[in-house]
Amino acid sequence: MNLLLLEDGDFVAEGRALLRGRRLKHLHEVHRAEAGDNLRVGRLAGLMGEGRLLRLDADEAEIEILTLDQPPPAKLPLTLLLALPRPKMFKRVLQTVASMGVPRLVLLNSYRVEKSFWQTPFLQPEAIREQLILGLEQARDTVLPEVTIEKRFKPFVEDRLPALAAGSLGLVGHPGAWPACPRAVDAPVTLAIGPEGGWIPYEVDKLQEAGLAPVQLGERILRVETAVTALLARLF
Amino acid sequence: MNLLLLEDGDFVAEGRALLRGRRLKHLHEVHRAEAGDNLRVGRLAGLMGEGRLLRLDADEAEIEILTLDQPPPAKLPLTLLLALPRPKMFKRVLQTVASMGVPRLVLLNSYRVEKSFWQTPFLQPEAIREQLILGLEQARDTVLPEVTIEKRFKPFVEDRLPALAAGSLGLVGHPGAWPACPRAVDAPVTLAIGPEGGWIPYEVDKLQEAGLAPVQLGERILRVETAVTALLARLF
């Protein structure tokens, strides 16, 4: 938690917030904070600045906001389409996506996404939000990515993806004899990353028809989380 | 497990291997393999090819090696110095390092590495090897990275790092007003990545004296695992 991210519900008065739960525990156990300490704070969807810890008890922490004058870092010019990862990986991927500055994430079905993954409680909006917040706190950002869920591959890719990708560089990360992923692009990007095991050829064809060009990162097969980070670090 | 990695002890005859334990469980539960299936196999420190699953019981799997004729993918021209991550992160970082093709990893002390981290059982050679193997199986590689442990920062950085880094592009990943990390370098690299919270200024000074130049990846503070992937994807 490199940024203490405050939400409307945390405020008890103008410039005063009370914390309980996870963030309180973190202040105690990881920051080992004490009353009087200054902390980096941010307001969800707003500015960042400095706060002072007025009081830190077992039950709650009271924060005084000193300044809120810095904008959060810029987001990447990116829409990321991601085949729904397995539940264990999914939580970490959400944190990574938020911490790297992805503004729009579309969770997509694919032949190799097990049907059971769509039943996971991690897909509930509150559970997704919780992981995104952890990513924002890590990276020092205040703006939640927008996450949409597309459980049907074909209608999404045929009917909505062409408009979504219009005016951007459309790419599909996919191992094989494709061009290498471009570097340091100076354009908005729509990037699709497949499931463990990759897209099936039919899906690659459909993504290509929608305007996305396959690109690869070399012979090594990377975990989804690693592939997301590696592709974004190379593209931007 | 995108590659079934076989060790000398797995072989019961020329071209025949017996598996138990983790890999057997994986064949059953993840691959849902059946007798007669062909599998990608590799020999630790050797070549990769194809095998056939002759028999798959509850207790063991018998594999016949059909071919072993493909070299593993090239390693990166890199020595990675990493401040020892916290235990929970450490296992994943080792997998990431192996899967991305890092050939040499030096685990280093730093002011912000908690002393207790050096006591973790994950630092035992067998525990390190286990995580590296998982990374090789993920990426389809057969060659273990070489891992060394340097519990004393100053003597390592003063006495041994200058020779280690000689003839390479020496870099320290460090947030702040430094040049951006270079892209697509065409040279061997020695790269140092700090702990959660970063190197302290004294450490940055010492690393600079040893020939490493600080570089940054932007305003966002990334987890160690994400920073490793992002820096390598950008450099190579």
Side-chain angles (χ1 to χ4, degrees), chain B:
Chain B
M1 190 167 75
N2 296 307
L3 179 76
L4 186 61
L5 200 50
L6 301 169
E7 306 191 30
D8 288 351
D10 297 323
F11 283 83
V12 290
E14 184 65 25
R16 286 287 166 104
L18 278 186
L19 301 183
R20 298 189 184 82
R22 177 182 62 81
R23 290 168 298 172
L24 175 68
K25 189 163 179 256
H26 197 92
L27 287 176
H28 276 294
E29 294 177 7
V30 181
H31 284 221
R32 291 168 195 161
E34 294 178 11
D37 285 358
N38 281 11
L39 301 165
R40 280 175 188 265
V41 298
R43 188 138 189 178
L44 194 67
L47 297 171
M48 309 192 297
E50 202 169 30
R52 180 169 296 142
L53 190 55
L54 298 180
R55 185 166 55 83
L56 181 67
D57 306 332
D59 293 340
E60 61 183 27
E62 186 175 355
I63 315 276
E64 178 189 6
I65 309 303
L66 302 176
T67 57
L68 273 182
D69 53 6
Q70 300 154 37
K75 296 286 191 192
L76 300 174
L78 174 71
T79 299
L80 179 62
L81 316 181
L82 198 61
L84 183 66
R86 62 178 61 236
K88 198 175 134 186
M89 174 73 70
F90 181 47
K91 291 169 70 172
R92 283 212 307 278
V93 169
L94 287 172
Q95 291 182 33
T96 301
V97 158
S99 69
M100 293 200 71
V102 175
R104 284 171 303 281
L105 173 67
V106 180
L107 294 165
L108 192 56
N109 197 22
S110 151
Y111 182 79
R112 294 210 176 102
V113 170
E114 287 184 30
K115 286 202 174 57
S116 65
F117 295 177
W118 290 104
Q119 313 305 325
T120 165
F122 302 135
L123 266 177
Q124 296 298 317
E126 265 314 298
I128 289 178
R129 190 175 189 277
E130 187 184 333
Q131 299 304 321
L132 296 175
I133 293 271
L134 291 176
L136 295 180
E137 289 178 349
Q138 165 67 43
R140 294 189 186 144
D141 190 355
T142 67
V143 183
L144 284 165
E146 178 191 308
V147 178
T148 54
I149 292 178
E150 296 287 352
K151 284 182 75 166
R152 296 177 62 214
F153 179 88
K154 189 160 174 270
F156 170 73
V157 172
E158 284 186 349
D159 303 339
R160 293 197 288 291
L161 182 55
L164 193 79
S168 73
L169 176 63
L171 302 172
V172 186
H174 194 62
W178 307 104
C181 177
R183 294 176 187 269
V185 302
D186 192 20
V189 171
T190 305
L191 171 66
I193 299 179
E196 305 285 333
W199 304 106
I200 61 170
Y202 167 82
E203 291 167 342
V204 176
D205 290 348
K206 296 304 280 184
L207 291 164
Q208 283 187 282
E209 284 169 24
L212 275 53
V215 293
Q216 50 80 25
L217 273 184
E219 291 174 74
R220 296 172 178 276
I221 313 292
L222 302 178
R223 282 179 304 179
V224 169
E225 186 195 4
T226 311
V228 168
T229 303
L231 285 161
L232 299 190
R234 188 168 160 120
L235 283 167
F236 299 107

